[in-house]
Amino acid sequence: MTALPDDAEPEYTSLADKAYTVIRDRLIMLDIPPMTAIDDVALAKSLEVGRTPVREALKRLEIDRLVVSYPRRGTFATGVDITDLAYISEIRAQLEPLAARRAAEYAGPATRADLAELADTIDRIDVRTLDRDALMRWDLHVHRTIYEAAANPHLEDTLIRYDNLATRIFCLFLDRMTHFDQHVGEHSGLLRAIAGQRADEAAERARAHVIGFEKAVRAVV
């Protein structure tokens, strides 16, 4: 099984929300390459929305540090700067363990069962057979599932923002990484620790996962 558990078309609360989500994902996956000028007219046409929702989305994405606007020059996808990795990892190394611990402590029986099932699914996947997009979407799905299980919306929003930035770096260097399957495979143990309500283990696994990711990227830079 390589498809994500939920392939259904997401429900959007507004056209601006739709524009934000789709453009954000294109930026994260580098479908819109770093430093590329953003054509809001073309985006609006491709999304079948007006320019106003796109412009509203771009304002949110600037807060997320995924785009940057310059007076009289326009809006551009931000660059992927390896020097940012240390700053991003410093924050994630503190907050990812917090989210994992909270999820282990506060997730209800149904959520813990879903996390255990997700771990089983990951164990059945041959990661090396996945293309880049599928691999990245699995990585994003696992992290966002844990953030939601942590039951703190402010922590969830913050972690999504920094995980998005880390994923852009992951996408950029994935082709050079020889042990990316090990990195993705770590999700299974983390999910099982949370599902088993082993809070200390979950926090330590989350921290090791973030630190391991930074080391893996630096090894190929």
Side-chain angles (χ1 to χ4, degrees):
M1 177 180 179
T2 58
L4 289 175
D6 183 8
D7 292 318
E9 181 71 18
E11 295 184 4
Y12 302 110
T13 58
S14 66
L15 292 177
D17 184 53
K18 174 184 178 180
Y20 170 79
T21 301
V22 175
I23 298 169
R24 180 198 65 189
D25 287 353
R26 291 182 185 179
L27 289 161
I28 293 169
M29 303 295 287
L30 305 187
D31 294 330
I32 300 177
M35 309 302 292
T36 299
I38 304 294
D39 186 339
D40 60 348
V41 176
L43 279 174
K45 184 176 180 179
S46 71
L47 297 174
E48 299 181 340
V49 301
R51 293 177 68 183
T52 298
V54 170
R55 288 173 176 171
E56 291 177 8
L58 292 176
K59 290 179 182 178
R60 291 174 62 186
L61 291 164
E62 188 163 14
I63 295 173
D64 292 344
R65 296 181 180 270
L66 291 171
V67 303
V68 59
S69 296
Y70 299 102
R72 296 182 296 278
R73 289 182 56 196
T75 302
F76 297 79
T78 54
V80 178
D81 190 341
I82 190 61
T83 60
D84 287 337
L85 178 60
Y87 302 132
I88 295 169
S89 295
E90 182 178 27
I91 295 169
R92 293 181 72 222
Q94 297 298 317
L95 297 186
E96 293 273 354
L98 175 60
R101 178 181 295 279
R102 282 188 57 88
E105 292 175 341
Y106 295 108
T111 298
R112 294 200 306 274
D114 289 342
L115 294 172
E117 183 179 353
L118 181 56
D120 289 340
T121 301
I122 291 172
D123 285 343
R124 292 194 297 268
I125 295 173
D126 183 353
V127 174
R128 291 189 174 275
T129 67
L130 301 182
D131 61 27
R132 190 206 68 167
D133 281 8
L135 182 67
M136 291 296 98
R137 293 190 187 284
W138 265 109
D139 189 78
L140 286 166
H141 177 69
V142 170
H143 282 276
R144 290 175 183 177
T145 299
I146 294 171
Y147 303 157
E148 183 178 3
N152 181 328
H154 300 288
L155 177 63
E156 181 180 1
D157 288 346
T158 301
L159 276 169
I160 286 174
R161 181 178 300 175
Y162 285 102
D163 187 50
N164 288 342
L165 296 174
T167 299
R168 295 183 86 211
I169 296 173
F170 199 177
C171 284
L172 189 64
F173 293 101
L174 178 62
D175 290 343
R176 305 186 205 174
M177 297 172 68
T178 56
H179 300 294
F180 64 85
D181 55 330
Q182 178 180 337
H183 174 77
V184 176
E186 292 172 1
H187 290 154
S188 177
L190 173 57
L191 290 166
R192 293 190 193 285
I194 295 171
Q197 297 183 288
R198 301 188 297 275
D200 288 344
E201 179 187 341
E204 182 52 38
R205 282 183 178 272
R207 181 176 181 275
H209 185 67
V210 172
I211 293 173
F213 170 72
E214 181 180 8
K215 289 181 178 178
V217 172
R218 292 196 179 282
V220 298
V221 173

